[in-house]
Amino acid sequence: GALEKSRAWAADIEPVVRAGGAEFLDAGAVVGAADQVDGVHLTQQEHRSLGEAVGRKVREMFASGR
């Protein structure tokens, strides 16, 4: 149940992050599933998806001058 619990954090964390003037990336919206071995850690593919999302966010920030 760790993945579901961590996804719920975004609603609480995002307003605080934005109020501080920082960018926010909801990793829970990107990551699809946890590894079936322990139900907590990400699979290799989920790590790749998250890394690609972070890369897109960074490019977006540089393109907009943030």
Side-chain angles (χ1 to χ4, degrees):
L3 190 61
E4 292 77 23
K5 290 177 186 176
S6 66
R7 282 192 176 139
W9 293 346
D12 295 326
I13 294 171
E14 184 175 8
V16 176
V17 169
R18 294 205 184 272
E23 291 291 319
F24 180 79
L25 173 68
D26 182 359
V30 175
V31 174
D35 192 336
Q36 295 302 311
V37 174
D38 65 6
V40 176
H41 295 93
L42 302 179
T43 64
Q44 182 177 354
Q45 180 55 47
E46 296 304 330
H47 274 286
R48 177 180 300 279
S49 297
L50 182 56
E52 290 170 352
V54 169
R56 284 190 301 272
K57 183 66 173 181
V58 170
R59 285 190 297 277
E60 171 191 310
M61 291 167 59
F62 275 105
S64 67
R66 290 183 253 173

